[in-house]
Amino acid sequence: MSLLTAERIKLLSTRSPWWCGLLAIVLPVGFTVLLATQVNPTNAPGFEFTPAATQGTASLGRAVVMVLAALAVTSEYRFGTIRSTFQAAPQRVAALLAKSAVVVVLTAVIGAVVGFGSWAVFRALHSGPDLDLVTAADWRSVAGEVLVFALTGALALGVGILVRQTAGAVAILLVYALLVEGLIGVIPKVGRDIQHWMPFFAADRFLGIRDGGDDLQNLPLGPWAYLAYFAAITVVVLGAGIFAAVRRDA
Amino acid sequence: MIEATGLTKHYGRTVAVDNLSFTVAEGRVTGFLGPNGAGKSTTMRMVLGLDRPTSGDVRIDGQHYHDLHQPLRTVGALLDAKWVHPNRSARDHLRWLAAASKIPRARVDEVLDLVGLTGVAGKRAGGFSLGMSQRLGIAAALLGDPRVLLFDEPVNGLDPEGILWIRKFMHRLADEGRTVFVSSHLLSEMALTAQDLVVIGRGKLIYQGTVEDFVEHATESTVLVRSPQLDRLRDLLRAEGSEITEITEDGDALRIGGVASAAIGELAAANNIVLHELNPQVGSLEQAFIQLTGDTVEYRTEEHRSEEHGAGEHRAGEPAGNGEVTSG
Amino acid sequence: MTTLLATERIKLFTTRSPWWSTLLALGMTIGFAALVALNHSGGPLTVRHSQFGAQFGLMIVTVMAALAITTEYRFATIRATFQAVPHRTAVLLAKTAVVAVLAAVIGEVAAFGSWITARVIDGGPEMNLVTGGDWRAVAGLGLVYAVGAVIAVAVGTLIRQSAGAISVLLIWPLLVENLVQLIPRVGEDIHNWMPFTAVSRFTDSTVPGPIGPWASLAYFAGVAAVLLVAALAVAEKRDA
């Protein structure tokens, strides 16, 4: 418990998590407000007024959350405070699990604000039964952001522990999530099949995000299995990070 | 020569340097003394054109830093030994600095040799100990064979051998006719290294003059005398002494400044005065320094220094309640 | 200026990041071209197919270019730099030039490397550089990378922090420029005038747009120039 308190204080007493957290909420929700004021059935006939459609900009928040989580540990390496951390808690696994827990809670909260916030502002501007949370799919796409943001935070933290350098960790995470996964789909023949097993693709399938006009039939997994798959990858990456941190010199 | 006039720097609401004027002469080591946070580093950054003064002006040999052609050939500085890229080797760090001022590459090896880093020149600077980093910083400062040198807390964290090395080095540089301006928060260190002093506290000038004068003034001692014939002794002392700087009453005792205890004892004996106590009260340098700089708000500082810094002059910044410097 | 360029060249190449950035950018673009060429089916392989990895290289190059200035701030070597040469604008222009030249070289090697690799694997007449569009797609990549690097140096100078600069430089082109399309009516127009979207019409003639390929490049360069001027003005003004 004291480890959790220590990690919470450490995270929230620096400025970058606040900035990142603020941006992770303001950017997607603000964008959603802009969208909601502009969109109506006449000027956007293709737009489906569903809860899932209110989550179109959440990816912006998720990208910022990745930066937040990576910085939570890379800045410790940068300023050498990781040594104090391990000095205070020689059980590195416990210390890093405590850090993971704090990051996960924070990113889950951000995910909740982004998911429900985007949905709420959209609904406030377009009242109608279409935007009610009715089906399981509706709930998954909105409340699911909590789980996806939390796992994204843990995954990014794992990468941060492995890479240790801010620039490297942030570049790898963003380039991978925003570019590489999409680029893989471009490879002829095998690209699509590989893409179906990419972690952020899996997270998007859980949320039920429409990926343009792409063929999303015949996917290998269902939404909850995709979430489990995303969670498994997160556990592997974070586990590898913690394992590496225990093995190497601080 | 470095001349600062009315130098002022605000960071938001904080006043880091407040209307600071001083000169640093060539051929001498001038210490820049003040407690941590007094504004020494800010002042040095302004000398180098890194920070822009809110108002006021600082010139090097009559020129602004910004107008110097290839400034490293005029001014060398070591402000922070950690201002190097950790993955760049010591030699590469000096190479790019040399390239910026068209300094021949041979000079890089020369200064590496001068500071004794030749053996590790190819190693990445990030792995250097503090002492090695300081030496690399000094090598960078000397690269352009500059007439003016600035060092910010160069002995911080060094071992005694390193401190001695730097001290001798500064003297050598000054003996070569260069202007050497070195900051420290340690008066004892400055007393050994510097010939002149610029003392600041809370961004304001407290003293400028020679180290000798400062030490003499700062360590000015008093003698506590107890006697049943105090009134007679006081009269005798008054009649006697032009040297006496103060006589104050301290309960049933007299506190006398400017006269050695031996002289007071002899005077008493010659006049058959009984002494119950004859107690020299010596203030330490550090104490004096803390008192001078600790609460500068109460002190009036003199903005412009007159030509000579005689005994009367360098007192400009001393506290109004004279004698308090030497609290027992 | 030649002195400054030489200085910045030494500074750039005596750190590790430009080296691994170069390797990564080349490896990924050329490797991706090989992957595409090896798996290609249905219709002939074209010049365009060989350049699918170009954006990856561009992102790596912008990260490298931003780091060239943000690491100077991080390690405070920017102070040593401005101490050696107090004319900040000149220093930063020299740095921008050196970084842009490196980016251009990476772009040319990546593009021609990808093209040759694809050609060796599955070369048909469609792989010949015939039209202006073909040449722009390959030889033009160096220009795009160079201008991208200028934008990155400008953003890095303005933000000064590696994490912030890299985040902006990656999230903007990869996410924000696409998200604006969601806005009804005007979204598509805004998207078309987003700098990285605009310049993609320079190298890829199949993308329709409001202005021609060279005008698109000029527009991209214009954005870079505006950012650079802003960065120089800010760097001149603030404390180092």
Side-chain angles (χ1 to χ4, degrees):
Chain A
M1 211 53 220
S2 60
L3 282 177
L4 284 174
T5 315
E7 291 298 331
R8 178 176 52 77
I9 294 170
K10 227 190 300 175
L11 187 66
L12 298 183
S13 57
T14 56
R15 280 188 307 181
S16 73
W18 290 99
W19 273 109
C20 290
L22 195 70
L23 286 174
I25 290 167
V26 170
L27 290 179
V29 177
F31 210 150
T32 307
V33 172
L34 176 73
L35 270 182
T37 55
Q38 297 300 314
V39 78
N40 60 57
T42 49
N43 68 15
F47 194 90
E48 295 174 47
F49 285 85
T50 60
T54 65
Q55 304 297 312
T57 60
S59 53
L60 202 51
R62 216 163 64 187
V64 180
V65 152
M66 276 193 258
V67 179
L68 182 157
L71 279 175
V73 65
T74 56
S75 57
E76 283 230 38
Y77 277 101
R78 169 175 168 189
F79 297 113
T81 52
I82 194 78
R83 299 197 185 100
S84 320
T85 301
F86 289 155
Q87 216 174 304
Q91 301 298 318
R92 295 186 186 180
V93 176
L96 290 171
L97 282 178
K99 185 183 283 299
S100 311
V102 170
V103 168
V104 162
V105 169
L106 179 63
T107 52
V109 169
I110 294 171
V113 176
V114 170
F116 284 102
S118 299
W119 171 72
V121 295
F122 211 103
R123 200 159 171 265
L125 291 157
H126 291 273
S127 53
D130 290 348
L131 289 170
D132 288 349
L133 297 178
V134 182
T135 65
D138 292 342
W139 279 97
R140 245 191 2 255
S141 58
V142 176
E145 300 286 6
V146 177
L147 295 171
V148 169
F149 270 60
L151 287 172
T152 302
L155 183 67
L157 183 73
V159 173
I161 299 173
L162 282 170
V163 178
R164 287 185 282 183
Q165 290 199 325
T166 303
V170 170
I172 287 171
L173 283 164
L174 293 178
V175 170
Y176 176 79
L178 303 180
L179 185 60
V180 174
E181 283 204 0
L183 215 50
I184 281 170
V186 176
I187 303 174
K189 286 193 288 196
V190 292
R192 282 284 158 198
D193 293 334
I194 303 174
Q195 200 178 33
H196 289 168
W197 294 100
M198 292 283 125
F200 292 103
F201 178 88
D204 283 348
R205 294 294 74 70
F206 167 70
L207 295 167
I209 288 173
R210 299 274 188 284
D211 190 9
D214 290 328
D215 178 26
L216 294 177
Q217 308 300 312
N218 307 319
L219 292 175
L221 300 174
W224 285 97
Y226 257 132
L227 180 76
Y229 177 71
F230 183 48
I233 287 177
T234 301
V235 168
V236 169
V237 173
L238 184 59
I242 294 176
F243 181 73
V246 171
R247 291 285 301 271
R248 71 192 165 204
D249 296 333
Chain B
M1 189 163 83
I2 305 170
E3 289 166 287
T5 40
L7 212 51
T8 303
K9 179 71 186 178
H10 295 218
Y11 293 107
R13 280 185 163 182
T14 323
V15 182
V17 174
D18 190 1
N19 197 13
L20 188 60
S21 302
F22 61 86
T23 54
V24 179
E26 22 197 272
R28 296 172 76 85
V29 178
T30 302
F32 191 23
L33 197 59
N36 290 328
K40 303 189 294 293
S41 300
T42 306
T43 304
M44 286 194 152
R45 282 204 301 271
M46 287 193 284
V47 174
L48 296 171
L50 293 174
D51 284 15
R52 295 173 198 274
T54 308
S55 63
D57 189 47
V58 57
R59 287 166 189 263
I60 294 151
D61 292 343
Q63 277 187 294
H64 287 126
Y65 191 86
H66 199 265
D67 299 327
L68 293 170
H69 179 63
Q70 297 179 350
L72 293 192
R73 289 172 180 272
T74 309
V75 186
L78 164 60
L79 291 202
D80 188 328
K82 287 290 170 194
W83 288 356
V84 291
H85 193 297
N87 288 336
R88 208 175 264 141
S89 72
R91 182 177 282 113
D92 284 340
H93 177 67
L94 297 175
R95 258 182 66 213
W96 76 258
L97 279 171
S101 298
K102 285 196 179 162
I103 294 162
R105 272 199 70 172
R107 177 67 183 164
V108 169
D109 293 321
E110 224 171 278
V111 290
L112 280 168
D113 197 43
L114 202 62
V115 299
L117 286 180
T118 308
V120 292
K123 294 244 160 65
R124 45 188 290 273
F128 279 12
S129 69
L130 186 56
M132 286 156 82
S133 296
Q134 295 284 55
R135 283 168 188 256
L136 177 58
I138 289 172
L142 295 173
L143 202 56
D145 196 19
R147 296 193 303 274
V148 180
L149 284 142
L150 274 74
F151 300 99
D152 195 7
E153 304 269 5
V155 301
N156 243 10
L158 287 192
D159 56 15
E161 196 194 352
I163 294 174
L164 197 65
W165 181 81
I166 288 201
R167 203 182 287 155
K168 282 185 179 163
F169 209 86
M170 309 252 159
H171 287 148
R172 212 178 91 196
L173 293 169
D175 289 345
E176 290 166 2
R178 301 175 211 261
T179 308
V180 182
F181 193 38
V182 48
S183 84
S184 177
H185 63 280
L186 298 171
L187 178 59
S188 50
E189 176 54 37
M190 282 299 95
L192 291 165
T193 311
Q195 290 140 338
D196 289 341
L197 276 185
V198 172
V199 184
I200 65 169
R202 294 197 187 175
K204 292 185 181 184
L205 183 71
I206 291 173
Y207 171 83
Q208 156 138 42
T210 63
V211 173
E212 277 172 4
D213 283 348
F214 185 78
V215 168
E216 195 180 286
H217 156 68
T219 58
E220 190 181 358
S221 51
T222 58
V223 182
L224 197 72
V225 185
R226 245 178 259 278
S227 163
Q229 296 146 285
L230 266 188
D231 290 341
R232 248 197 90 201
L233 183 65
R234 186 191 291 134
D235 294 342
L236 281 167
L237 282 166
R238 285 221 169 106
E240 178 75 22
S242 54
E243 296 162 20
I244 292 174
T245 54
E246 60 156 320
I247 300 178
T248 50
E249 290 195 37
D250 187 354
D252 61 341
L254 274 187
R255 187 180 290 277
I256 300 154
V259 185
S261 56
I264 298 171
E266 278 161 24
L267 186 74
N271 293 282
N272 286 321
I273 293 172
V274 176
L275 291 184
H276 289 168
E277 186 182 348
L278 184 64
N279 188 4
Q281 317 257 304
V282 183
S284 75
L285 276 174
E286 253 66 33
Q287 245 174 359
F289 176 50
I290 288 163
Q291 281 207 282
L292 270 176
T293 56
D295 199 0
T296 9
V297 183
E298 288 181 17
Y299 304 136
R300 278 161 294 153
T301 58
E302 195 175 78
E303 285 163 25
H304 302 288
R305 181 173 87 103
S306 59
E307 265 77 326
E308 53 162 89
H309 26 258
E313 208 288 318
H314 72 251
R315 293 216 172 172
E318 91 185 21
N322 200 351
E324 305 238 336
V325 169
T326 52
S327 65
Chain C
M1 202 62 195
T2 48
T3 320
L4 290 179
L5 289 171
T7 310
E8 292 300 327
R9 183 179 51 76
I10 295 172
K11 236 193 280 179
L12 188 64
F13 287 109
T14 49
T15 57
R16 288 184 301 193
S17 74
W19 295 104
W20 62 250
S21 304
T22 305
L23 280 177
L24 196 61
L26 295 182
M28 294 299 279
T29 46
I30 297 173
F32 200 74
L35 264 180
V36 171
L38 285 170
N39 289 296
H40 188 73
S41 68
L45 193 71
T46 64
V47 172
R48 207 179 130 256
H49 288 124
S50 70
Q51 304 298 327
F52 276 167
Q55 199 183 12
F56 187 89
L58 177 60
M59 292 300 106
I60 299 297
V61 161
T62 54
V63 169
M64 179 272 291
L67 284 177
I69 180 73
T70 56
T71 52
E72 284 234 39
Y73 278 101
R74 169 171 169 194
F75 299 118
T77 51
I78 194 74
R79 296 194 176 134
T81 300
F82 289 155
Q83 210 175 300
V85 186
H87 300 279
R88 300 182 182 184
T89 300
V91 175
L92 292 171
L93 281 177
K95 183 184 286 296
T96 310
V98 169
V99 173
V101 167
L102 174 63
V105 171
I106 295 175
E108 293 304 326
V109 176
F112 279 100
S114 300
W115 175 67
I116 290 167
T117 306
R119 206 179 147 89
V120 167
I121 293 171
D122 188 11
E126 290 79 8
M127 281 302 289
N128 291 337
L129 299 180
V130 182
T131 63
D134 292 340
W135 279 100
R136 280 200 313 276
V138 181
L141 200 61
L143 287 172
V144 176
Y145 280 22
V147 179
V150 173
I151 290 179
V153 171
V155 170
T157 307
L158 287 168
I159 298 182
R160 286 188 283 184
Q161 288 200 326
S162 300
I166 292 174
S167 300
V168 168
L169 286 166
L170 293 178
I171 292 177
W172 178 268
L174 297 178
L175 200 52
V176 175
E177 290 204 356
N178 294 323
L179 280 178
V180 294
Q181 292 179 93
L182 291 174
I183 305 170
R185 285 176 316 189
V186 288
E188 213 45 53
D189 290 335
I190 300 175
H191 177 68
N192 278 332
W193 289 101
M194 286 289 179
F196 287 87
T197 307
V199 82
S200 69
R201 288 193 297 266
F202 173 68
T203 47
D204 189 349
S205 4
T206 62
V207 185
I211 48 173
W214 287 97
S216 298
L217 180 71
Y219 174 71
F220 191 52
V223 171
V226 169
L227 284 170
L228 186 62
V229 167
L232 293 175
V234 169
E236 243 346 291
K237 224 182 141 201
R238 72 187 164 205
D239 293 332

